[in-house]
Amino acid sequence: MLRIHFTDADLARTRMAAEPDPLWEIGLSLCRFQTRQGRWAYAGWYRDTRQRLAETGLDRMVRTTLIPLFPRATYYPDFLNPAEAADGLDAGLAAIVTTPPDRIRREVRHFADVTTAPSWAERLVERDVREDIADCLRRYYDTAIAPYREHAQARIDAERSIRARALLHGGAEALLRGLGPTMRWRAPVLHVEYPADDCDLHLGGRGLLLVPSYFCWGWPIALADPLLPPVLVYPLLHEEPAPRDTNTAPLTVLLGRTRALVLRATAAGATTGELARAAGVSAPAASKHTTALRDAGLISSHRHGPSVLHTLTPLGASLLRAAPR
């Protein structure tokens, strides 16, 4: 169990990432190759990515370099998930390359204590080795993560819509209460199911960055070093099928005028009543339209207090992007 201790200042500084963190997604996606747990949720990605890695000759690099460095274990070096990655892959890779050697030595020793570290891990203190690792990570990202980036972004947009509603209606504590079955808010502590030994993280006024992750499965993850900027990476619920081709015909042709209006109004997250007002129909009519769109896999619906909040699925988001206005 991980216990994250909040002060009033921490509640005010709790925030949520707007985009997938590229390096967390790299590391967590590599874990998906190391277990069958949750394979159903990533079946399309797993099949297509294995094929692309084989076609590009990167499968050996993944087996011999990346998976040993990102094992499915309770720890791998924190410096591989720098805060700078919030500014994009280039910034994250640059931070890895410029990590001070003393920090790398410390984290590699801990890595070896926790699991079977690769025999070459000690050479990570050498800048040219880190540059080679950064090149491997970029090539893997382009092959395995980039093709699914829009899919993951749509899922995160939906998650942010749900959490934003909670924040606006009940403040930061309401947001923390709704984070999912592996996390329980008992003020002033967030209790997180965690694979490692029991530990406590005192935020001390620094706040917490919540990072929803497409490739995280099972339990949330935090950095091991409590002195680093506090981050909690947590899994999205996987209920939708893998992305598939979409028709680029105008939405009004595909869906009809009213249903197209309902789908567009769902982009920012909306209740049934809000969709009814946006489309100029009654609430029962809007409910019928949301049922049809949900059955088609274009939206998902979540209970939010007395209302139901509708958000786009990755397929619905893709359809909106492809359809001319």
Side-chain angles (χ1 to χ4, degrees):
M1 181 69 69
L2 169 64
R3 293 173 292 271
I4 304 177
H5 299 258
F6 287 72
T7 64
D8 289 344
D10 294 312
L11 289 173
R13 291 172 180 149
T14 294
R15 60 217 186 276
M16 181 172 287
E19 299 179 342
D21 183 295
L23 287 171
W24 277 111
E25 296 298 74
I26 285 173
L28 292 167
S29 72
L30 288 164
C31 292
R32 305 282 61 82
F33 288 113
Q34 301 174 59
T35 177
R36 295 191 62 84
Q37 291 183 0
R39 180 68 57 79
W40 62 268
Y42 304 97
W45 172 85
Y46 180 82
R47 179 188 62 250
D48 295 344
T49 300
R50 286 191 65 186
Q51 181 177 343
R52 283 194 294 270
L53 290 172
E55 290 173 348
T56 56
L58 297 179
D59 47 349
R60 185 175 184 277
M61 176 197 76
V62 170
R63 289 194 309 270
T64 61
T65 302
L66 296 185
I67 285 180
L69 194 56
F70 294 84
R72 186 173 173 268
T74 57
Y75 178 80
Y76 61 78
D78 284 338
F79 81 88
L80 295 172
N81 291 119
E84 290 84 351
D87 294 325
L89 181 63
D90 288 344
L93 294 179
I96 288 175
V97 171
T98 57
T99 303
D102 286 346
R103 176 183 170 185
I104 295 173
R105 290 189 186 93
R106 183 173 65 253
E107 293 187 2
V108 167
R109 283 196 299 268
H110 184 52
F111 188 26
D113 289 339
V114 170
T115 188
T116 304
S119 59
W120 45 265
E122 292 182 355
R123 294 192 58 212
L124 287 168
V125 296
E126 302 170 22
R127 185 185 177 99
D128 61 336
V129 173
R130 297 197 301 280
E131 289 174 343
D132 289 342
I133 293 295
D135 180 64
C136 291
L137 292 172
R138 184 183 300 280
R139 293 163 68 194
Y140 176 81
Y141 180 89
D142 290 343
T143 304
I145 307 299
Y148 268 69
R149 192 182 187 287
E150 288 191 357
H151 184 70
Q153 184 66 61
R155 296 297 307 280
I156 288 177
D157 288 344
E159 173 72 2
R160 282 171 55 86
S161 294
I162 295 169
R163 303 307 162 209
R165 292 284 176 135
L167 180 67
L168 290 173
H169 287 196
E173 291 194 74
L175 184 155
L176 294 170
R177 277 197 299 270
L179 283 176
T182 59
M183 293 176 273
R184 297 186 303 279
W185 172 251
R186 296 174 184 167
V189 180
L190 182 65
H191 299 257
V192 182
E193 292 183 18
Y194 209 59
D197 295 336
D198 281 6
C199 55
D200 292 87
L201 173 59
H202 294 269
L203 299 178
R206 295 173 294 169
L208 180 67
L209 176 62
L210 297 166
V211 182
S213 167
Y214 180 75
F215 288 103
C216 186
W217 182 263
W219 50 73
I221 303 171
L223 295 170
D225 188 343
L227 300 180
L228 293 173
V231 172
L232 185 66
V233 181
Y234 70 94
L236 295 166
L237 294 178
H238 286 262
E239 302 171 349
E240 320 300 342
R244 57 183 185 266
D245 292 339
T246 58
N247 194 320
T248 58
L251 287 182
T252 52
V253 175
L254 282 173
L255 304 174
R257 179 180 178 277
T258 301
R259 203 160 288 171
L261 286 172
V262 170
L263 184 65
R264 290 194 187 280
T266 307
T271 64
T272 304
E274 290 167 344
L275 293 176
R277 290 190 289 274
V281 298
S282 67
S287 181
K288 290 181 180 179
H289 288 305
T290 59
T291 297
L293 293 170
R294 186 169 55 252
D295 290 345
L298 299 177
I299 69 171
S300 58
S301 304
H302 312 268
R303 174 66 56 181
H304 182 74
S307 303
V308 174
L309 181 65
H310 307 285
T311 58
L312 294 176
T313 65
L315 179 61
S318 178
L319 181 61
L320 276 186
R321 284 191 297 270
R325 291 278 180 175

